[in-house]
Amino acid sequence: MSKVVVVTSGKGGVGKTTTSAAFAAALAVRGYKTVVIDFDVGLRNLDLVMGCERRVVYDLLNVIHGEGALNQALIKDKRVGNLYILPASQTRDKDALSNEGVGKVIEALRQSFEYIVCDSPAGIEKGAMSAMYFADEALVVTNPEISSVRDSDRIIGMLASKTQRAEQDSDPVNVHLVVTRYDPVRVERGDMLSADDVCEILAIPFLGVVPESKLVLAASNSGIPVTLAEDNDASEAYFDMVDRFLGEDVPYRFMDVQKKGFFSRFFGS
Amino acid sequence: MNLFDFFRPKKPKSASVAKERLQIIVSHERRRSSTPDFLPQLQTDILQVVRKYIQINENQIKLSLDKRGDCEVLELNISLSESGKP
Ligand SMILES: Nc1ncnc2c1ncn2[C@@H]1O[C@H](COP(=O)(O)OP(=O)(O)O)[C@@H](O)[C@H]1O
Ligand SMILES: [Mg+2]
C-alpha cells in the first residue's frame, strides 16, 4: 500500500525542502520505493537540493497538462536505487495546480511507489493546499520560534479540515511534529523554545528534532540530501525520525547539550 | 553568570515569554477558526422566523457558540422589549 506524506509548515525557510529531500532519501535507503514531488511551483528548489537540476526535462505541470508523460518527468536518483524526483515548474504560477490534476498524478504514482513525499511551498494558498490535499501523513516542520509555531498551528488546523480525508470524513491525516534547526545550548540558556514547549503548544505526536548543523547548508550546496551526505548529526536525526515514522521505537537524541568531557573542555573539541 | 548578573533581579527568559504569548494566540485562533461560518446566516434566519410572531430588531437576538467543559453549547438569547409584546 502506498502513502502520501506532505511536508508542510506555513512559514517559509524553516526546512521543508531540506526535510523532504532527507526524508525521501532515507526512506529509499531503508528499501522503500519513494518519489519526492516539488509543489513549489514558480520557485522550484528541490531539484537543487537533490542535485538533479540539470536533468529536469518535464515537470509536474507538464504532466498534469498532458505535455509530457509521467515516466518522462520522473528523474531517477543516481545514488540510491528506489528514489525518484518529480520537479516543479519554474515558469507557471501556483494557480495552475488543480486538485483534479494533482489527484490523477498521485493516483498514477500510487501504482508504483510506496511513499510519495510532497514538498509543500510556504503559505496557506493554493500551492500549499494542493500539496496537502491528498495526504495520508503529514510532517509539520517547525522551528523553535514564535511565528513558526503559530503558522504550524494554523497548518495543523487545515490538515484537519481542508484535506480529502477531512472532506470525505475518513480517518484523519496522521500528523507528526518535526522540530528543525534545534539548538540545545540556546534552549538551556532559556532563549529558545524547547521541543517540550513546542509539543505542548501544538499537541501533536512528536517525531523528533533536527539539530542546527552547518553540514545542512554544505550538503545542499553540493546537491546532496543530508541523509546521503557523510556522517553527521542532522543525517542521524533524520534517520531516527524515519525509523520512528516506520514504527520503530528509537530513543530521542540531540535534545540535550552534549556535556563536554574534561579534556575536550581544555583542548577544544 | 558574572557578579553583576548575580545582583540584578532575574528577568524572565525570552523562551518562557514566547511560550506564554504562543499559548494565548494559539488558543485564541483555534477558538476563532472553530466558529462555524453559518452562525450569522442562522441568526438572520431565526430573526425572520421570530418576526412572524413578535416584532423584534436584530440587536434583540444573540447567537453564540461556547464551550463548557466537554460540551459545546449553542446559545440563543432573544430579549423582548416592551414594544415587542404581541
Ligand atoms: N537543521 C538545519 N541546520 C542548519 N540549517 C538548516 C537546517 N535545516 C534547514 N536549514 C537551512 O535553512 C534554509 C531554508 O531551508 P529550506 O529547506 O529551503 O526551507 P523551506 O523549504 O521550508 O523554505 C536553507 O538554507 C537550509 O540550508
Ligand atoms: Mg522549500
Side-chain angles (χ1 to χ4, degrees):
Chain A
M1 220 198 52
S2 73
K3 280 203 169 129
V4 176
V5 185
V6 64
V7 180
T8 184
S9 74
K11 192 168 158 52
V14 295
K16 289 180 293 298
T17 300
T18 306
T19 301
S20 302
F23 210 83
L27 282 169
V29 168
R30 289 287 184 261
Y32 295 92
K33 195 164 178 208
T34 304
V35 58
V36 52
I37 312 178
D38 191 350
F39 274 84
D40 208 344
V41 173
L43 288 176
R44 174 164 132 188
N45 42 35
L46 180 70
D47 52 335
L48 290 172
V49 174
M50 297 290 297
C52 63
E53 69 278 7
R54 293 170 58 186
R55 297 166 60 209
V56 174
V57 184
Y58 293 111
D59 57 56
L60 176 60
L61 279 173
N62 293 140
V63 177
I64 289 176
H65 292 124
E67 297 151 3
L70 181 56
N71 57 17
Q72 291 176 295
L74 287 171
I75 303 170
K76 188 179 189 322
D77 190 87
K78 288 189 165 154
R79 295 154 295 209
V80 205
N82 285 341
L83 180 59
Y84 290 77
I85 299 110
L86 182 54
S89 163
Q90 230 167 354
T91 48
R92 287 192 244 204
D93 65 356
K94 299 193 206 315
D95 297 332
L97 287 173
S98 65
N99 281 345
E100 196 199 349
V102 172
K104 278 188 194 146
V105 174
I106 300 256
E107 205 39 58
L109 291 170
R110 278 187 190 274
Q111 307 308 312
S112 38
F113 288 94
E114 291 169 282
Y115 285 100
I116 301 161
V117 177
C118 304
D119 179 19
S120 173
I124 49 171
E125 265 92 75
K126 188 89 193 183
M129 288 307 163
S130 43
M132 73 165 64
Y133 190 74
F134 295 98
D136 302 308
E137 309 269 340
L139 307 185
V140 178
V141 179
T142 309
N143 289 168
E145 176 260 322
I146 194 159
S147 57
S148 172
V149 176
R150 177 207 204 159
D151 288 358
S152 291
D153 191 65
R154 294 188 65 185
I155 284 291
I156 293 165
M158 297 188 160
L159 286 162
S161 61
K162 299 269 154 61
T163 51
Q164 188 182 44
R165 283 178 172 272
E167 285 177 4
Q168 296 180 346
D169 250 331
S170 38
D171 292 339
V173 178
N174 273 321
V175 289
H176 310 267
L177 176 62
V178 174
V179 178
T180 55
R181 312 203 66 163
Y182 197 66
D183 185 347
V185 175
R186 299 187 61 188
V187 171
E188 198 172 82
R189 253 194 260 137
D191 55 16
M192 182 181 268
L193 288 165
S194 69
D196 280 347
D197 292 341
V198 181
C199 284
E200 191 185 321
I201 291 162
L202 295 179
I204 60 170
F206 175 55
L207 204 54
V209 300
V210 183
E212 173 76 25
S213 157
K214 292 197 175 76
L215 278 159
V216 171
L217 184 60
S220 85
N221 283 341
S222 335
I224 306 169
V226 70
T227 41
L228 300 184
E230 57 181 290
D231 267 353
N232 66 81
D233 284 2
S235 164
E236 286 181 34
Y238 277 119
F239 269 109
D240 282 2
M241 288 198 284
V242 165
D243 293 336
R244 278 181 211 118
F245 179 83
L246 294 170
E248 257 179 71
D249 192 10
V250 184
Y252 290 100
R253 293 195 282 167
F254 310 109
M255 312 260 293
D256 299 311
V257 179
Q258 299 295 305
K259 295 282 180 252
K260 284 191 174 170
F262 179 78
F263 281 103
S264 60
R265 212 184 293 205
F266 276 85
F267 303 112
S269 57
Chain B
M1 189 190 281
N2 66 32
L3 210 59
F4 291 104
D5 288 341
F6 188 76
F7 289 110
R8 211 176 288 154
K10 264 224 170 71
K11 263 204 291 181
K13 300 280 192 193
S14 72
S16 57
V17 177
K19 185 180 177 188
E20 221 167 275
R21 290 175 63 209
L22 269 169
Q23 278 166 330
I24 296 165
I25 347 173
V26 160
S27 77
H28 183 87
E29 287 178 348
R30 279 182 198 157
R31 206 169 326 127
R32 202 179 49 198
S33 69
S34 68
T35 307
D37 39 14
F38 59 75
L39 273 194
Q41 188 56 48
L42 180 57
Q43 179 156 334
T44 15
D45 288 355
I46 292 175
L47 184 67
Q48 268 164 16
V49 174
V50 175
R51 270 182 180 165
K52 283 192 191 167
Y53 308 92
I54 314 170
Q55 258 326 299
I56 56 167
N57 60 36
E58 53 264 47
N59 2 340
Q60 286 171 269
I61 182 166
K62 268 214 184 75
L63 196 60
S64 66
L65 199 62
D66 259 322
K67 236 195 174 114
R68 305 223 178 107
D70 288 341
C71 220
E72 276 204 290
V73 182
L74 180 66
E75 204 171 72
L76 172 66
N77 261 303
I78 303 173
S79 60
L80 299 179
S81 62
E82 288 302 302
S83 61
K85 282 184 178 165

